[in-house]
Amino acid sequence: MADAKSLRAPDGATGVLVLADGAVLWGRGFGASGEAVGEVCFNTAMTGYQEVMTDPSYAGQIINFTFPHIGNVGTNRDDVEATNPHALGLIVREDVTNPSNFRNIQHFDEWLKANGRIGLAGIDTRALTRRIRQKGAPNGVIAHNAWGEFDIDALLKKAREWPGLEGMDLAKEVSTLQSYQWRDGLWTLRDGYHLNEAGDDRPHVVAIDYGLKRNILRNLVAAGARVTVVKATATAEEVLALNPDGIFLSNGPGDPAATGEYAVPVIRELLETAKPIFGICLGHQLLAIAVGGKTIKMHQGHRGANHPVKRLDDGQVEITSMNHGFAVEVATLPANARETHVSLFDGSNCGFELTDKPVFSVQYHPEASPGPQDSHYLFEKFVGRLEKGA
């Protein structure tokens, strides 16, 4: 890693990452040309890079993948969590090879170009991960120029002036603009997605979209519900006018305290109805704030598909998929909020439920795409409460 005084690109360098602390990492650019500023984080998943890149929770972030072979199975139309990528760019160790998978329809490099996202190869991603672990997730600029022409001073200035994710509301930027119904189920190798699986006779879930992943909707349908999605700024009156049997609070990007300025009052009104509520990730954090808890910015965050979480009721360990840079301070939760899950990496809170209402949430991603499927039971738990009218 050089510093900002090394202004000239080394021979063959067509990409660069400039961190706000002055570090300069030269590499080989791919995907779209240009530059993007955001928070640099790392992800340890070995699979699912297309799901990761399209996860709205990664808005405002540049992803450093610790697994070296990213892009080698190409891309397809099915393995996406949103219409467009939301991660700003990615950093990898090895160059992207030609795709080797029967489901591929487009080379990863071409997919990035088509979607305006920047890639940077040839980086010691493990060294960058250690740097993030030691110093925290930095702000940075990723840039790609085919001729290797970069204004490092200007890039450094941009990295230092970017305000960072703390205090930033991004949910409104990635949320749907209008309500819609979702009835499709899970994907299988033989049949693809189970289209129009949910009929009108099923219990009705209204999902508030703070940055919703599609596989969450598919799992709700697979568990027996039909779903209507509403925008992040929907009022409690708008939600209740849809006559839901239960309410889902989605994942999403940014600082939960900032999103909570408009989301928390709505959630508090919904809590008063005593309808079943289920939250994931940002939805978990917003629910915690709504009941009186607080959230904090984590040093490096949790991002990957191999995070062990202990279920406190029976001591079972779930291997989970995670993506969050903020966490709930469990000591700030009220007496009627019982902790249900904890991270075995650092002991941070990964779930709680209310003892006097049919309300619960988890910090991790039980829809697990990418990731294991240890936590699918949570969707069945939620939908089961709807069917029972609990």
Side-chain angles (χ1 to χ4, degrees):
M1 296 183 186
D3 58 41
K5 296 179 181 179
S6 304
L7 300 181
R8 295 189 60 183
D11 290 342
T14 58
V16 67
L17 176 70
V18 180
L19 303 181
D21 64 5
V24 179
L25 289 73
W26 298 101
R28 297 178 294 276
F30 62 99
S33 297
E35 59 190 49
V37 60
E39 180 182 89
V40 182
C41 62
F42 65 86
N43 185 296
T44 59
M46 296 175 66
T47 62
Y49 55 83
Q50 196 176 356
E51 291 96 332
V52 169
M53 290 297 296
T54 54
D55 181 351
S57 295
Y58 278 109
Q61 294 181 306
I62 301 163
I63 305 170
N64 175 54
F65 283 98
T66 61
F67 187 68
H69 303 294
I70 299 297
N72 58 341
V73 297
T75 64
N76 59 70
R77 295 188 182 93
D78 290 342
D79 294 346
V80 295
E81 294 293 353
T83 303
N84 302 304
H86 288 281
L88 298 171
L90 73 156
I91 302 158
V92 297
R93 174 72 178 187
E94 303 291 342
D95 290 329
V96 177
T97 62
N98 288 328
S100 179
N101 188 277
F102 73 98
R103 297 174 64 220
N104 169 68
I105 62 169
Q106 188 176 31
H107 194 292
F108 188 45
D109 178 64
E110 294 300 321
W111 184 84
L112 290 170
K113 289 176 180 175
N115 288 284
R117 293 299 184 265
I118 301 169
L120 181 62
I123 300 298
D124 187 342
T125 53
R126 298 301 177 95
L128 179 56
T129 296
R130 286 195 297 270
R131 186 185 188 93
I132 295 171
R133 285 176 61 88
Q134 292 166 2
K135 299 183 178 182
N139 296 343
V141 178
I142 187 172
H144 174 204
N145 181 283
W147 297 275
E149 298 174 355
F150 302 98
D151 185 337
I152 299 300
D153 287 335
L155 296 178
L156 178 61
K157 184 174 184 291
K158 180 176 285 191
R160 288 177 171 171
E161 290 180 348
W162 193 68
L165 291 179
E166 194 163 8
M168 185 176 291
D169 169 38
L170 292 174
K172 284 186 287 191
E173 296 184 16
V174 301
S175 177
T176 183
L177 298 178
Q178 59 186 14
S179 299
Y180 61 92
Q181 292 188 342
W182 186 278
R183 295 175 182 267
D184 297 344
L186 296 174
W187 184 91
T188 59
L189 181 60
R190 178 177 176 179
D191 301 317
Y193 291 118
H194 290 193
L195 303 179
N196 297 313
E197 182 177 330
D200 289 338
D201 57 334
R202 292 186 173 203
H204 183 209
V205 172
V206 171
I208 304 179
D209 177 9
Y210 304 115
L212 189 63
K213 293 174 67 178
R214 289 177 176 175
N215 215 46
I216 289 175
L217 300 176
R218 298 182 186 115
N219 273 277
L220 287 170
V221 170
R226 59 185 174 90
V227 186
T228 300
V229 181
V230 299
K231 61 185 178 181
T233 56
T235 65
E237 290 76 16
E238 289 171 333
V239 171
L240 296 174
L242 295 169
N243 193 29
D245 297 299
I247 297 138
F248 175 76
L249 310 175
S250 87
N251 63 293
D255 187 338
T259 303
E261 291 294 323
Y262 56 86
V264 164
V266 173
I267 295 171
R268 285 177 176 159
E269 286 189 58
L270 296 174
L271 284 168
E272 292 176 1
T273 68
K275 291 180 180 289
I277 297 177
F278 176 27
I280 287 177
C281 198
L282 178 60
H284 164 73
Q285 297 159 359
L286 292 172
L287 181 62
I289 297 172
V291 299
K294 295 181 180 180
T295 58
I296 56 170
K297 182 76 164 65
M298 302 176 76
H299 178 69
Q300 66 192 38
H302 289 165
R303 298 175 182 89
N306 53 358
H307 285 249
V309 168
K310 184 177 181 179
R311 196 165 62 210
L312 298 181
D313 282 346
D314 57 11
Q316 291 294 310
V317 176
E318 303 170 26
I319 302 302
T320 71
S321 180
M322 285 196 180
N323 170 23
H324 62 106
F326 293 82
V328 172
E329 287 189 287
V330 68
T332 67
L333 291 175
N336 67 329
R338 183 178 70 89
E339 187 174 38
T340 57
H341 300 76
V342 296
S343 167
L344 290 183
F345 279 159
D346 59 10
S348 60
N349 174 260
C350 287
F352 74 91
E353 66 180 8
L354 299 187
T355 57
D356 55 351
K357 290 183 174 71
V359 174
F360 69 99
S361 62
V362 291
Q363 180 62 75
Y364 53 94
H365 285 267
E367 79 282 355
S369 182
Q373 299 179 356
D374 295 18
S375 310
H376 278 193
Y377 71 91
L378 291 166
F379 294 100
E380 297 170 358
K381 173 182 176 179
F382 175 55
V383 175
R385 289 183 172 184
L386 310 182
E387 294 172 339
K388 296 174 183 177

